[in-house]
Amino acid sequence: MAGSIANFLLSVSLILSISLIFLLTIKINKKNFENLSVIYLCSDGIFYLLFISFILLVYSFIVSDFSNLVVYQNSHTTKPLFYKISGSWANHEGSMVLFILILSFYLFIFTKKKIDPELKCFTIIFQLILIFIFLVFLIFTSNPFTKILPTPVQGLGLNPILQDPLLAIHPPFLYFGYVGFSIVFSFVLAALMTKKLNSFWSREAHFFILLAWSFLTIGIGLGSFWAYYELGWGGYWFWDPVENASLMPWLAATALLHSNIVTQKKNLLYSWTALLSIFTFILSLLGTFLVRSGVLNSVHAFANDPFRGLYILITIFLIIFGSLTIFLLKNPSYQRKNNSFFFQKDNFILINNCFLIFFLSVVLVGTVYPIILNAINGESISIGPIYYNSIIKPFLFVFIFIMAYGPFLEWNKNSNNSFIKNLLILFIISLIFSLIFLFLLNNKNISLTLGILFSFYLFLTVIYDAFREKKLSINLSRILAHLGFATVIFAIFINGYFAKEINLSMKVGDKKQLENFLIEFKNTKSIKGPNYDQITANFLVTDGNKKVELTPSIRKYNQPAQFTSETSIKSNFINDYYFAINLSQFNDNKISLRFYYKPLMQCLWLGVILIACGGIFGLFKKKYENTI
Amino acid sequence: MKIQYKIVILFVILVLLFLAFGRALLKDKTYQPTEMVGKKVPNIILNDFNNKNKKISLVNLTNNNFVVINIWSSWCIPCKEENYFLLKIKKNSKINILGINYKDQHTNALKFLKDFGNPFNLIASDTLGEASIQLGAYGVPETFVVKNGIIVAKFLGPINEEITDTILNLSK
């Protein structure tokens, strides 16, 4: 019943979107912008219709309506309520519903803005086209309300690895980020069409860019955190194509965020900002394609049917071709004013934009090249962390240096020398600090030294920036985000060089002294969970005078019958102690496990939160205060 | 450069990318976790399919031996297809084939063997699918080639003519 209603609602919104596109095209042709409120009402209607269909899908999951194919394949009556709900988007069909719902959500917010009617109508058309394309995909290739007869008594269950509170909220955040750039994309195309790409556009777009960027930051952070404590490999970033797929739009969006400010403040870089807006969304779509189509293998590849992938591929192809053609045809040509000095904020932002694009290209090549190579000559290569680290690292230092320096420059004149002197002092302080630090840690690695030096320098300059003038409230957004970035980089370097991994094989009662750690296997315990059985091992780790108790476990889920290894992580803010049991090797009464010592992980997560907070604070600023 | 040319160039680049991705997409590429390849056979004890009281130890079985381990089930449709090739291996060589009956009902499995032929020298049951997970299997059908206690190859999905030849060559 719920399924038929929802199917009907989806069809209505499909028809509504196509008719609105026609209606708006006619209106634009006639330059008749009266009675737009009806159109806004209809586009809001699409959002409401999709929202109700989504709620109906969630409802089918809650009541375990197994006559619905998607529910049958992804749910089970014994699953806790929370995972029944999150199960509705933890599958291909459901996540597509969420994707389209968010597309219409952004349209919903957009129609509430007071903008020139022609610009607004064009934006709505482009956004509706996106909604239409994905609705066709949803209804005809991945319908979430397909019925099965006879109705099964029990469902197949949700992959246990996805039964995790963080993973339940990770996809919505990521989608709010990815899809958020759709409205920027539609908005920029509309501005190009109407030749209204100006500082007003840039101010209005800023809100959406910042909103989507903040969501994306949180989404990536959550995904990384999940990988860290659920997958049990002891790492937080694997340069896995799926992770890269989310990092690429983030890099493009970060560049966009900054170039858009230059556009706003100085009426410069219009083409560049427009191009970045287009590419950010294209990269989001590419991410969706890579992740969803099954061209890559990962937990995310829900669409095993290659024709779905082909449909997405054709769609992306058309969107890229269409949008870039519009860009080429309507590209605004502005004369650059010739009164600029080199030591000026916009130049520094532009330089760092180039760096971001360079990082983006490195990630893009690393992600896409193996796929293309495999398609052409069947050769499989895997590109690992060494590639990314060795190419990105040296440039990262320069990037950070410019990032630390940029905020102190002025928009319209050569900068004030007093700051340069102070920045030099800060640089010397951080140099001394990093040398003392390394001396204490007894490490002579050059790249570690540079990593600590530059992240600490950035840290100091941001603090200085915060207190130099009494303008903290205006600059808070930038200060938080940059502070977060400094923290993340510092944590990555320290973690990269001091993390330890120890492989063990122990039985109850064993005591082992490995490196600085005394590891004691005390006992095991069996526990019965709501939909799994669990065996927990108790360990006591002694590190110097610190004692940490850790309880890694193995779970056997009953539906689908699958084993998962639950990690145990204890943290004292500075260090994380981390245990994971190897699933594949059971020996008599010995268990084999991995012990990780991961310094500063909490710092890393804190940094990500700070970056996201920076974005969120930026949203609450008044428009004329936009700054970075 | 004229805009028309730029658009044509853009189009050509996109078509090329499209073809490459399309090909990558349509290519049959099952995920091949080679985690266990090159490692020792895990110490797994299984129940004999025909005699519940009898145990089969993978380590003892594969020690100083060439064994093909095939994970199958009566409900698995590709298994029917690959049965022909397993029978062919049995006919053309003296390779020992161990069948692991994965999450299956005994009667259905017996009927399967009756209908399609029994290529296995020995059959073990893995009713809960636990042993197969320890072996590093992801589903059915999957075939492992074990030489002197070491897993030397692993094939996901039904085996075909080509894989049959590979297995026969490995045994030499």
Side-chain angles (χ1 to χ4, degrees):
Chain A
M1 187 57 194
S4 337
I5 299 173
N7 246 331
F8 175 71
L9 295 181
L10 287 181
S11 314
V12 173
S13 44
L14 184 74
I15 295 165
L16 200 58
S17 61
I18 190 83
S19 17
L20 271 183
I21 294 171
F22 277 115
L23 203 65
L24 278 166
T25 323
I26 295 167
K27 271 190 177 293
I28 286 169
N29 271 333
K30 289 185 180 163
K31 298 256 174 216
N32 164 15
F33 297 110
E34 284 156 24
N35 294 330
L36 282 178
S37 55
V38 182
I39 288 185
Y40 300 154
L41 207 65
C42 290
S43 73
D44 287 358
I46 294 179
F47 169 68
Y48 292 128
L49 289 172
L50 290 170
F51 185 69
I52 298 169
S53 337
F54 180 70
I55 293 296
L56 285 172
L57 181 68
V58 175
Y59 171 78
S60 308
F61 268 89
I62 293 176
V63 299
S64 297
D65 174 9
F66 294 126
S67 68
N68 181 331
L69 183 65
V70 176
V71 181
Y72 163 69
Q73 284 171 339
N74 298 290
S75 195
H76 192 269
T77 46
T78 58
K79 213 164 68 169
L81 180 66
F82 182 71
Y83 296 123
K84 281 184 185 165
I85 297 172
S86 75
S88 46
W89 57 78
N91 58 77
H92 170 71
E93 288 82 358
S95 67
M96 282 316 293
V97 179
L98 187 66
F99 189 93
I100 297 169
L101 176 67
I102 298 172
L103 273 176
S104 68
F105 167 75
Y106 277 103
L107 181 61
F108 181 80
I109 316 181
F110 183 80
T111 51
K112 306 289 172 287
K113 293 242 166 198
K114 283 199 181 65
I115 296 169
D116 170 80
E118 195 187 7
L119 185 61
K120 200 165 176 176
C121 285
F122 263 108
T123 314
I124 296 175
I125 290 187
F126 286 118
Q127 189 75 2
L128 281 173
I129 292 175
L130 292 176
I131 293 177
F132 177 76
I133 292 173
F134 283 99
L135 264 177
V136 170
F137 176 65
L138 180 79
I139 296 175
F140 297 106
T141 74
S142 15
N143 196 314
F145 300 105
T146 314
K147 273 196 159 12
I148 35 169
L149 274 172
T151 305
V153 216
Q154 192 50 276
L156 297 178
L158 176 68
N159 186 348
I161 206 165
L162 302 176
Q163 294 189 24
D164 180 274
L166 271 180
L167 213 61
I169 54 168
H170 154 75
F173 270 103
L174 213 51
Y175 272 18
F176 269 103
Y178 274 163
V179 180
F181 295 111
S182 69
I183 199 78
V184 183
F185 172 82
S186 303
F187 197 27
V188 80
L189 289 184
L192 286 168
M193 291 297 285
T194 54
K195 300 200 186 313
K196 282 182 180 131
L197 191 63
N198 47 30
S199 55
F200 172 79
W201 177 89
S202 164
R203 271 197 296 279
E204 289 299 330
H206 192 74
F207 172 81
F208 290 105
I209 298 171
L210 209 53
L211 184 64
W213 181 84
S214 310
F215 273 120
L216 192 58
T217 309
I218 299 172
I220 296 174
L222 285 175
S224 166
F225 188 56
W226 170 80
Y228 175 64
Y229 89 100
E230 176 79 23
L231 290 182
W233 301 328
Y236 52 90
W237 194 267
F238 302 93
W239 295 108
D240 178 89
V242 173
E243 292 170 318
N244 292 349
S246 64
L247 183 66
M248 287 189 287
W250 189 85
L251 289 170
T254 311
L256 171 62
L257 193 63
H258 291 79
S259 84
N260 190 43
I261 298 279
V262 178
T263 307
Q264 220 178 100
K265 294 272 172 189
K266 296 204 67 181
N267 278 321
L268 285 172
L269 302 179
Y270 278 105
S271 316
W272 180 236
T273 303
L275 202 58
L276 277 177
S277 312
I278 293 173
F279 268 106
T280 308
F281 184 59
I282 289 176
L283 286 167
S284 304
L285 283 183
L286 185 75
T288 317
F289 167 74
L290 287 177
V291 163
R292 280 302 149 90
S293 63
V295 77
L296 296 171
N297 298 294
S298 73
V299 273
H300 298 76
F302 297 134
N304 293 322
D305 177 358
F307 289 97
R308 284 178 181 169
L310 213 55
Y311 184 95
I312 303 184
L313 189 60
I314 293 170
T315 308
I316 294 180
F317 172 78
L318 291 176
I319 292 175
I320 298 178
F321 183 68
S323 56
L324 289 182
T325 307
I326 291 178
F327 175 77
L328 286 175
L329 290 173
K330 305 276 179 177
N331 182 16
S333 48
Y334 293 92
Q335 288 295 315
R336 198 192 154 110
K337 278 169 265 157
N338 218 1
N339 63 347
S340 60
F341 304 96
F342 179 74
F343 285 98
Q344 194 168 285
K345 204 181 240 176
D346 44 322
N347 282 325
F348 274 61
I349 290 179
L350 193 58
I351 294 170
N352 261 7
N353 250 269
C354 295
F355 274 112
L356 282 168
I357 298 306
F358 169 71
F359 298 148
L360 170 63
S361 319
V362 170
V363 179
L364 186 67
V365 169
T367 313
V368 170
Y369 179 68
I371 299 174
I372 293 182
L373 189 71
N374 187 279
I376 292 170
N377 64 1
E379 202 179 318
S380 311
I381 52 161
S382 93
I383 290 183
I386 299 167
Y387 160 80
Y388 296 100
N389 291 347
S390 53
I391 299 187
I392 290 179
K393 220 190 296 170
F395 297 96
L396 187 68
F397 301 133
V398 189
F399 176 77
I400 295 176
F401 186 75
I402 291 171
M403 186 176 165
Y405 197 83
F408 294 91
L409 298 175
E410 303 285 337
W411 284 106
N412 281 314
K413 53 179 190 238
N414 249 335
S415 65
N416 198 331
N417 283 332
S418 69
F419 289 129
I420 297 183
K421 205 178 85 192
N422 290 341
L423 288 178
L424 196 68
I425 296 171
L426 288 181
F427 192 77
I428 294 169
I429 294 175
S430 30
L431 189 67
I432 296 168
F433 168 81
S434 53
L435 290 177
I436 293 174
F437 196 73
L438 287 172
F439 179 74
L440 289 176
L441 290 171
N442 197 13
N443 193 307
K444 283 183 199 127
N445 191 305
I446 289 179
S447 103
L448 178 64
T449 318
L450 290 174
I452 294 174
L453 166 65
F454 282 103
S455 52
F456 194 68
Y457 177 55
L458 180 61
F459 188 83
L460 286 182
T461 53
V462 174
I463 301 285
Y464 173 49
D465 185 22
F467 294 106
R468 76 186 152 126
E469 284 166 33
K470 299 225 158 42
K471 277 200 270 178
L472 185 63
S473 66
I474 294 178
N475 294 329
L476 189 62
S477 169
R478 168 185 78 211
I479 285 164
L480 284 177
H482 285 202
L483 199 63
F485 190 75
T487 318
V488 168
I489 296 295
F490 184 71
I492 287 176
F493 272 92
I494 294 288
N495 193 278
Y497 285 92
F498 296 102
K500 287 193 182 102
E501 179 184 342
I502 298 171
N503 282 298
L504 295 158
S505 178
M506 294 177 89
K507 58 174 183 277
V508 178
D510 273 2
K511 254 188 195 183
K512 274 188 183 169
Q513 176 76 40
L514 289 153
E515 311 220 3
N516 322 330
F517 312 105
L518 178 69
I519 298 170
E520 191 181 346
F521 187 174
K522 296 174 82 177
N523 52 20
T524 59
K525 231 185 344 214
S526 300
I527 305 165
K528 209 164 170 55
N531 54 346
Y532 56 82
D533 297 318
Q534 176 171 317
I535 298 171
T536 308
N538 267 320
F539 285 89
L540 185 72
V541 177
T542 318
D543 175 15
N545 46 15
K546 278 172 282 186
K547 278 192 194 309
V548 195
E549 238 177 277
L550 286 157
T551 51
S553 56
I554 284 191
R555 276 186 195 169
K556 190 191 149 206
Y557 280 83
N558 40 24
Q559 196 59 38
Q562 195 167 334
F563 289 92
T564 63
S565 168
E566 301 292 313
T567 57
S568 167
I569 303 171
K570 285 273 163 67
S571 175
N572 56 2
F573 196 75
I574 295 171
N575 299 319
D576 275 17
Y577 300 90
Y578 184 130
F579 253 118
I581 301 180
N582 283 343
L583 272 183
S584 55
Q585 294 152 8
F586 293 110
N587 264 335
D588 309 326
N589 46 9
K590 268 192 174 175
I591 58 172
S592 93
L593 25 76
R594 303 179 302 273
F595 170 72
Y596 299 94
Y597 164 77
K598 311 280 295 178
L600 290 191
M601 286 307 291
Q602 304 295 316
C603 239
L604 187 88
W605 308 128
L606 179 76
V608 175
I609 293 168
L610 281 175
I611 295 176
C613 283
I616 293 164
F617 271 107
L619 290 174
F620 296 110
K621 270 196 304 207
K622 294 196 184 71
K623 284 199 186 92
Y624 59 85
E625 286 178 350
N626 280 346
T627 177
I628 46 173
Chain B
M1 194 163 33
K2 274 192 180 164
I3 285 188
Q4 286 88 322
Y5 293 142
K6 286 188 189 166
I7 294 177
V8 171
I9 292 171
L10 173 72
F11 187 76
V12 172
I13 294 172
L14 284 177
V15 167
L16 288 177
L17 280 175
F18 175 80
L19 290 176
F21 273 110
R23 195 170 155 182
L25 194 66
L26 295 177
K27 209 170 181 177
D28 178 38
K29 50 200 283 294
T30 2
Y31 186 39
Q32 295 263 9
T34 45
E35 180 82 358
M36 295 298 285
V37 172
K39 290 191 180 158
K40 275 189 188 161
V41 172
N43 185 10
I44 304 172
I45 312 283
L46 290 152
N47 289 325
D48 192 288
F49 179 76
N50 296 314
N51 178 359
K52 272 190 183 161
N53 301 323
K54 214 175 123 192
K55 301 277 178 198
I56 299 172
S57 155
L58 276 193
V59 171
N60 291 344
L61 188 73
T62 55
N63 210 2
N64 303 322
N65 237 332
F66 185 89
V67 181
V68 170
I69 303 175
N70 177 261
I71 300 176
W72 65 286
S73 192
S74 67
W75 46 260
C76 135
I77 290 149
C79 296
K80 295 175 185 164
E81 186 188 317
E82 84 171 349
N83 199 272
Y84 166 78
F85 294 102
L86 288 171
L87 286 169
K88 201 172 155 189
I89 295 178
K90 193 188 181 186
K91 213 174 109 191
N92 296 340
S93 70
K94 285 181 182 168
I95 299 173
N96 282 319
I97 306 179
L98 166 71
I100 296 184
N101 187 230
Y102 177 81
K103 290 190 187 171
D104 206 355
Q105 285 184 357
H106 200 258
T107 44
N108 294 351
L110 280 174
K111 188 166 184 305
F112 178 95
L113 295 174
K114 208 180 130 205
D115 291 352
F116 299 96
N118 181 356
F120 305 114
N121 303 67
L122 196 62
I123 305 176
S125 356
D126 186 15
T127 351
L128 296 171
E130 290 166 1
S132 304
I133 288 176
Q134 288 182 51
L135 200 54
Y138 274 62
V140 272
E142 265 186 42
T143 309
F144 293 83
V145 180
V146 186
K147 209 171 186 173
N148 299 333
I150 309 275
I151 300 175
V152 289
K154 170 178 177 179
F155 306 99
L156 261 153
I159 59 170
N160 50 27
E161 197 77 55
E162 206 184 324
I163 296 176
T164 310
D165 292 342
T166 317
I167 294 176
L168 289 173
N169 283 335
L170 279 170
S171 71
K172 280 170 196 166

